[in-house]
Amino acid sequence: DSGLVSLLQFRSSVSSSPKVNVALVCLHTSKLYLPSMMKTTTALLLLSQAAAHLGVDDHMVAVPMTQYKRACGLPSNLSVVPQMASQMAAFLQGSKVPGAGIDEFTSFKTVHKDGFMAIDCVKDYMYYNGDKFGDNKHDYKLGATSNVSIVHYDAFVAKEDQEPMTQKVCFEFCRTVPNMGFFGVVNGRGCYCTPYFEPMESDSSSCDAVCEGDTTLMCGGKAKSSIFSMHMCASTGADLKEVSGKAGTLKASMDAKHKKATGLAKDMQDTGTTLQKAFGKVGDSGATGLMQDAKVFAGEMEKQAKAVKAITDKLGGLIKEAKGMTKFEDPAVVTKAEGNMEATEETIAEGVAAEDALDKLIELAEEASVADAAKQYYPVMYFVDKKYESVPSTCGGATVEKPIVQSSKDGCAAACDASIHSCVGFQYFESGSKLCFLFSKFQSAFYYTGCKKGSFLETMKKEKEATCYAKLSKFEGTSLKVDKSGKTDFGMKEVTKADRCFY
């Protein structure tokens, strides 16, 4: 139940230093901050004269931590604005803040942290750009990345219940907000809670503003925040295991998505490259353009998959590091564990955003087959010259969505149906893998009369197919022949007959 614990850090750049004798002497006093809740313990470091031989680069740093262990898990006495409390709880529960949305909780009701210590004086990016609900909500810039928000004391605590600001007042507020690992105080009175802090470029000013409620302590500066780390309630080992477990679950999901996206991108890239060469040889510019689109989209998927892989590798390293931590009664281990948890939670937030981006690309790149969906689509040559409706054909024009890979004709038709207001047909290719492209308007067509059915070449290459399909309901009773008069909206600008095959 110690109230003030000195964390000692020892740094040495000398590999062969004289033996140093260190003794810790604890002096207990009965200075009470809360009724029967805590005592103050001060740790003093005594060094032998041998320490002088370590050199000027070697030193020990004492970092005081204020603790309130007996308050852990107890109800909070805070009186918060109900509307703001429910708004913040909904955000935390529905957002992808690490841990939020997994376990039920009630914000501002239960104590989650048992201590705090000062760690830095910085101009904090989170203070200026991480407020989703307060006065700076118009400058909020984290929605597309980590999707977290800071929480301001004066926005959530009822005005009549607000106290003159001190480090302790800010801590007692922030320790009741789930997923917050730090709190900051600006200009002597501006208290906010944050899941992490991010230093930004600033001037040479310092945190020299005294706290409103305790003029013996500093609470930030005009532009900078005094940043404090909060210690989780006497459960560091369990907390570390929980955070690592969440990281492991996310990593497994991301690994699976990475594998899937990499496979889709490879198939699209390989098929696009093969068919681009084939159609390039016969001068089919419409088809070669489609293949270039496929290769570009495959590159986008591959790039995002690599970004996901980098994050899963980082998560793997943090999980491995966490597994090696024991002896959580050691303050140094606790500090290291908290650093690991902070890094893990921040990486989880990055991972969630990266996985979401990859999910969207995967969703665009594939389409589930719907039975007989392709029956409502006819070869485009049916609307140009029915005599050639069964020969291979390609189309050029305005496309919608992204190229689709590994999908059947029924899958491609289903994708076109899903874009009911913009899609009028699709181009289907099969060459080892399958590719299709959705069109909002046909402008040109290429049809091949040299692919003889029943020939030896056709038998050897029966897996190769190229057919442009138009939706019957869009073109029934019309013609897609070249309209030189320009009086119709449907007519092709160019239709080319090729007395050869595309392979």
Side-chain angles (χ1 to χ4, degrees):
D1 298 327
S2 61
L4 186 62
V5 178
S6 290
L7 300 182
L8 304 174
Q9 295 179 314
F10 177 63
R11 300 176 181 175
S12 176
S13 61
V14 181
S15 58
S16 57
S17 301
K19 182 177 179 180
V20 179
N21 297 314
V22 179
L24 288 178
V25 179
C26 295
L27 303 179
H28 296 269
T29 67
S30 58
K31 182 179 180 182
L32 300 179
Y33 289 95
L34 293 174
S36 303
M37 289 294 288
M38 62 171 284
K39 292 183 294 184
T40 299
T41 300
T42 305
L44 300 179
L45 177 67
L46 302 180
L47 298 178
S48 72
Q49 292 184 348
H53 299 287
L54 291 176
V56 294
D57 291 330
D58 307 320
H59 58 282
M60 287 192 175
V61 181
V63 184
M65 175 188 285
T66 304
Q67 291 189 309
Y68 304 82
K69 288 186 176 181
R70 291 184 182 178
C72 282
L74 296 180
S76 167
N77 295 320
L78 284 172
S79 175
V80 297
V81 180
Q83 181 181 358
M84 295 298 289
S86 60
Q87 186 180 19
M88 187 64 193
F91 172 71
L92 289 172
Q93 192 70 46
S95 72
K96 291 176 178 174
V97 181
I102 297 175
D103 302 315
E104 293 294 331
F105 62 84
T106 305
S107 300
F108 314 111
K109 294 295 183 182
T110 305
V111 173
H112 300 285
K113 302 292 192 298
D114 68 359
F116 67 92
M117 60 181 174
I119 59 172
D120 215 338
C121 172
V122 299
K123 185 175 183 180
D124 186 9
Y125 180 88
M126 297 295 288
Y127 177 76
Y128 292 96
N129 300 289
D131 181 11
K132 187 177 178 68
F133 304 102
D135 294 339
N136 289 339
K137 61 186 178 182
H138 298 298
D139 294 322
Y140 182 70
K141 297 180 180 179
L142 303 179
T145 53
S146 57
N147 194 32
V148 297
S149 175
I150 63 173
V151 180
H152 282 283
Y153 174 86
D154 57 7
F156 285 84
V157 177
K159 190 170 183 179
E160 62 272 18
D161 295 311
Q162 292 179 14
E163 300 180 45
M165 187 52 57
T166 67
Q167 297 170 4
K168 178 172 167 285
V169 168
C170 191
F171 166 70
E172 288 181 341
F173 168 68
C174 290
R175 67 178 176 170
T176 66
V177 186
N179 304 307
M180 297 296 167
F182 302 85
F183 68 89
V185 189
V186 181
N187 203 24
R189 60 182 180 274
C191 163
Y192 65 98
C193 322
T194 180
Y196 57 88
F197 69 97
E198 184 177 340
M200 59 190 296
E201 187 176 351
S202 62
D203 56 26
S204 59
S205 63
S206 59
C207 292
D208 54 4
V210 297
C211 304
E212 274 188 340
D214 187 347
T215 57
T216 66
L217 297 174
M218 297 300 171
C219 286
K222 289 186 177 179
K224 292 185 177 180
S225 303
S226 290
I227 301 292
F228 300 85
S229 171
M230 293 188 289
H231 179 261
M232 293 185 178
C233 283
S235 57
T236 304
D239 293 331
L240 181 63
K241 185 177 181 180
E242 182 183 357
V243 172
S244 290
K246 293 172 187 175
T249 300
L250 178 62
K251 182 179 184 301
S253 173
M254 292 176 71
D255 282 338
K257 302 284 178 62
H258 169 263
K259 182 178 180 180
K260 183 173 188 177
T262 300
L264 292 172
K266 185 178 187 306
D267 274 5
M268 189 176 288
Q269 189 73 248
D270 292 348
T271 304
T273 299
T274 299
L275 291 179
Q276 189 175 47
K277 290 179 180 178
F279 286 107
K281 289 179 180 179
V282 296
D284 190 337
S285 60
T288 55
L290 293 177
M291 295 308 138
Q292 184 61 31
D293 291 343
K295 290 165 66 178
V296 169
F297 183 47
E300 291 177 23
M301 258 196 301
E302 185 179 7
K303 181 180 179 180
Q304 188 59 34
K306 287 181 178 179
V308 164
K309 182 64 167 61
I311 294 173
T312 61
D313 287 346
K314 185 176 179 180
L315 283 174
L318 290 166
I319 293 169
K320 183 178 180 180
E321 180 186 59
K323 285 181 178 179
M325 293 184 193
T326 58
K327 299 180 180 180
F328 293 101
E329 65 276 8
D330 183 347
V333 175
V334 171
T335 300
K336 186 176 180 182
E338 289 179 337
N340 178 280
M341 285 186 282
E342 179 195 348
T344 300
E345 288 176 344
E346 193 169 339
T347 306
I348 287 174
E350 293 174 8
V352 168
E355 185 182 38
D356 279 351
L358 190 59
D359 278 340
K360 291 175 182 177
L361 295 178
I362 291 174
E363 185 179 354
L364 290 170
E366 62 179 3
E367 185 71 38
S369 182
V370 175
D372 298 328
K375 284 187 175 181
Q376 58 184 313
Y377 291 83
Y378 283 25
V380 74
M381 291 307 297
Y382 175 87
F383 303 99
V384 177
D385 190 338
K386 289 183 174 62
K387 181 170 64 174
Y388 298 107
E389 68 173 293
S390 62
V391 304
S393 59
T394 63
C395 288
T399 58
V400 293
E401 302 296 342
K402 293 288 186 179
I404 300 171
V405 68
Q406 297 180 358
S407 185
S408 65
K409 275 181 270 192
D410 282 332
C412 297
C416 192
D417 288 342
S419 299
I420 187 171
H421 298 296
S422 57
C423 186
V424 299
F426 63 91
Q427 175 69 52
Y428 179 79
F429 295 100
E430 186 169 350
S431 178
S433 187
K434 302 167 184 176
L435 276 179
C436 68
F437 304 80
L438 308 185
F439 283 92
S440 60
K441 184 175 179 60
F442 295 120
Q443 295 177 336
S444 64
F446 221 97
Y447 63 103
Y448 298 86
T449 60
C451 302
K452 304 295 183 182
K453 290 187 176 181
S455 67
F456 174 76
L457 186 61
E458 174 73 15
T459 302
M460 293 297 292
K461 298 188 176 181
K462 61 183 178 180
E463 76 280 4
K464 293 190 180 294
E465 181 179 347
T467 307
C468 181
Y469 291 92
K471 195 167 189 176
L472 181 62
S473 61
K474 297 284 187 181
F475 301 105
E476 190 171 15
T478 65
S479 173
L480 289 176
K481 289 182 178 180
V482 175
D483 179 22
K484 295 182 179 179
S485 68
K487 293 182 179 180
T488 69
D489 293 331
F490 302 108
M492 298 275 193
K493 291 183 178 180
E494 183 181 6
V495 176
T496 303
K497 177 182 179 182
D499 295 323
R500 55 188 179 277
C501 196
F502 64 91
Y503 49 75

